[in-house]
Amino acid sequence: MQNSATPTHCPYCALQCGMNLTPVPDGGVAVTERADFPVNRGALCGKGRTAPAVLSSSVRLTSPLVRSGGTLVPATWDEALDRIAEGLLRTRAEHGPDACGVFGGGGLTNEKAYTLGKFARVVLGTSQIDYNGRFCMSSAAAGGIKAFGLDRGLPFPLEDIPRTGCVILVGSNLAETMPPSLRFFTELKENGGTLIVVDPRRTKTADQADLHLMPRPGTDLALALGLLHLIVAEGRVDEAYVTERTAGWEEARAAAMAHWPEYVERITGVPVPQLREAVRMFCEPEAAMVLTARGPEQQSKGTDTVGAWINLCLATGRAGKPLSGYGCLTGQGNGQGGREHGQKADQLPGYRKLDDPAARRHVAEVWGVDPDSLPGPGRSAYELLDALGTDIRSLLLMGSNPVVSAPRAAHIEERIKSLDFLAVCDVVLSETAALADVVLPVTQWAEETGTTTNLEGRVLLRRQAITPPEGVRSDLEVLRELADRLGVEKGFPTDPEEVFEELRRASAGGVADYSGITYRRLAEENGVFWPCPAQDSDSDAHPGTPRLFLDRFATDDGRARFAPVSHRPSAEEPDDEYPVLLTTGRVVAQYQSGAQTRRVDELNAAAPGPFVELHPRLAARLGAAEGDPVAVVSRRGRAVAPARITTGIRPDTVFMPFHWPGEGRANTLTNPALDPTSRMPEFKTCAVRVEAVGS
């Protein structure tokens, strides 16, 4: 253990808040304030403060486990690794390389994500790799690439938010999901700016809004189109900007004009006067922003919905200008870096496309392989999981818990159980790991060094603060050992800085160019924003790019593209059998599938289990009182949890958080209908009925 405080970053959300880890007498570490990091300025939520609790050997894995007689039992590392290698080799020999699947996580460091993608394509030769970040911001990524030619969560630093004039925050409850970020919006209002929140619930974030719009779940696309209609009708379009910096305006304008205010009110439930007020608030200041999150993105039309919100920024000249623009509030800790460097089914490091011959040649040269040996694009996350036990017979899974987090979760659980072989690398025995043939205990954030990329595109250095327990190894060591056993003895270093040096070369010249970033720079600076290409000398180092698009967009002609989109219904609308809409989300004290946070006593005391949030009118029809068990039933299954009755939700909607397994598993209900472009499942809306449960 080091003798003094170690500056590092929180293991949870994409803020990647700065913190110091200080040794304590019992051999662990305590979290202390790190005020120098500009994203959180020392502030932390409960998850960050209690993160060291999961380092305890009492709650985490410290020995490999192998299945024997139907039970997971301790094993040696050699036995466990040999078992995995044998399972993958057998599958490949009997069914071909694409019968081996790889599924990663948005919490893996850049070094791990890069190495996992390389392992899948070079060692296994499989195209079947994706990651749970597909469930995070893939629709925003697809919409951003279509509009701007580049996807980075925020094209500006968070510190710009307080200095803009208005923010429209769509489908984000950041007061609970990213609490330290709320200060930027508080400062926005203190500076005279305004905040518009779009959410079907009256959340803690909506309580901070100057204007709260409450659309029906699944109608965010119609809402954005209705606002654009009013912008045109009221003469608020920045015609000079549209002419000089965009393309496709006439088609987008024509589509928007079919969404007149009264029509949009019927679809969304948002009154026309509120639509007009939102347009006034957004258009009157000199600068404004639109920020989206999972609400509009986790829909079967999420890419089009993002495109419609981007259209507002383009029509009013609010993109590629100081203190203005569209951004996405990435959720997972390294959701941004995780897809930039090879976990995504269709991407190579540097955000290169797998079907681009030049990209294949560049990366293959770095890897020392024939470009023709690299497989093509594979299945997206849900499609990969849905193919388990049929086309895909073995799965290597790192840092994800799809038994809780995937849509139509009961079906995915059955698909996982039908595999010939499952190996899981994780910190804890998650619900998915409990089904595995082999489980490997791996190091955590405080026990290893590596980089992550936060929602601003800021590349950060997490530093090792403590020695991992005996019996625990890093994911990089696991992949090196498996590569050795599978016949690839070179190209898989275990030193994270050595991996990062290779990542720099692989990303060089790509959209997400990290080639000018080094561990030395990251240790001296508060992160470096990509793109950051390498320069001829260290004295002439590229400063990074905190703000994108100020001169031109990343398209071939430098112009942003409008999205010519129209409203369409969700994949599943209410009917007589399923008359209510379900939407899902998070609570402040738990994170994602809860695999780690549900092992922290303080967090469990604050959020002990699932619930069903419903309006008093719906509760009265059911005869349900506060705390009574109610059942929520969809075409995919049934979940039961206590009622939480509130006027802060629409009467036609119920809400469930998705952090828990078992009877209250919200994702038992959710719809895997996929966006045709991003392949994002429709987590945020499906048709259900709600039933009282007899005592």
Side-chain angles (χ1 to χ4, degrees), residues 170-171 198-201 214-225 264 267-270 294-302 304-305 309 566-574 581-584 650 652-653 682-687:
V170 190
V198 179
D199 200 304
R201 302 169 60 224
M214 295 182 71
R216 281 176 83 241
T219 64
D220 307 270
L221 174 54
L223 178 61
L225 288 162
V264 169
I267 294 170
T268 65
V270 177
R294 305 301 80 75
E297 298 163 14
Q298 287 183 325
Q299 299 184 28
S300 60
K301 52 182 182 289
D304 284 357
T305 302
W309 287 103
S566 296
H567 169 71
R568 62 182 185 273
S570 299
E572 189 174 82
E573 291 286 334
L581 288 167
L582 168 70
T583 193
T584 64
R650 292 176 55 96
D652 58 3
T653 301
E682 193 154 62
F683 286 99
K684 277 295 181 280
T685 180
C686 68

Side-chain angles (χ1 to χ4, degrees), residues 382 386 406-413 636 667-672:
Y382 180 79
D386 189 42
R408 198 185 173 196
H411 169 73
I412 295 304
E413 182 175 354
R636 290 154 294 282
N667 277 320
T668 296
L669 309 167
T670 48
N671 190 355

Side-chain angles (χ1 to χ4, degrees), residues 59-238:
V59 299
R60 54 94 59 85
L61 295 167
T62 56
S63 170
L65 303 173
V66 299
R67 193 164 296 280
S68 176
T71 303
L72 287 171
V73 298
T76 66
W77 269 94
D78 280 342
E79 181 183 358
L81 290 164
D82 287 346
R83 184 85 69 93
I84 296 173
E86 290 165 4
L88 295 173
L89 282 170
R90 183 169 58 251
T91 295
R92 193 169 63 181
E94 294 177 0
H95 304 286
D98 274 354
C100 297
V102 177
F103 198 84
L108 299 182
T109 62
N110 290 318
E111 292 81 1
K112 294 178 184 180
Y114 170 85
T115 304
L116 186 61
K118 181 180 179 181
F119 178 86
R121 295 177 174 108
V122 172
V123 178
L124 295 178
T126 182
S127 66
Q128 301 303 302
I129 174 173
D130 211 78
Y131 83 129
N132 62 15
R134 176 77 67 170
F135 300 157
C136 178
M137 61 170 291
S138 57
S139 292
I145 290 169
K146 283 187 173 184
F148 308 129
L150 182 152
D151 151 49
R152 196 178 82 185
L154 294 180
F156 42 74
L158 284 162
E159 65 190 39
D160 284 1
I161 290 173
R163 299 187 292 143
T164 194
C166 177
V167 173
I168 302 180
L169 185 62
V170 190
S172 172
N173 182 16
L174 53 81
E176 296 201 64
T177 58
M178 297 179 171
S181 70
L182 191 62
R183 67 170 56 193
F184 294 103
F185 298 87
T186 302
E187 291 171 9
L188 165 73
K189 296 180 65 177
E190 290 172 349
N191 291 340
T194 56
L195 175 63
I196 301 170
V197 171
V198 179
D199 200 304
R201 302 169 60 224
R202 183 77 184 181
T203 63
K204 292 180 179 179
T205 306
D207 283 339
Q208 308 300 313
D210 297 285
L211 177 64
H212 176 204
L213 309 180
M214 295 182 71
R216 281 176 83 241
T219 64
D220 307 270
L221 174 54
L223 178 61
L225 288 162
L227 296 178
L228 184 56
H229 177 110
L230 286 170
I231 286 169
V232 175
E234 295 177 5
R236 297 180 183 271
V237 175
D238 186 337

Side-chain angles (χ1 to χ4, degrees), residues 10 12-13 15 17 19 31 40 42-51 174-181 588-591 602-603:
C10 178
Y12 291 115
C13 83
L15 288 180
C17 291
M19 59 170 60
V31 170
N40 62 308
L44 292 167
C45 73
K47 295 186 289 290
R49 285 190 297 99
T50 61
L174 53 81
E176 296 201 64
T177 58
M178 297 179 171
S181 70
V588 67
Q590 301 289 352
Y591 181 72
E602 180 180 330
L603 300 179

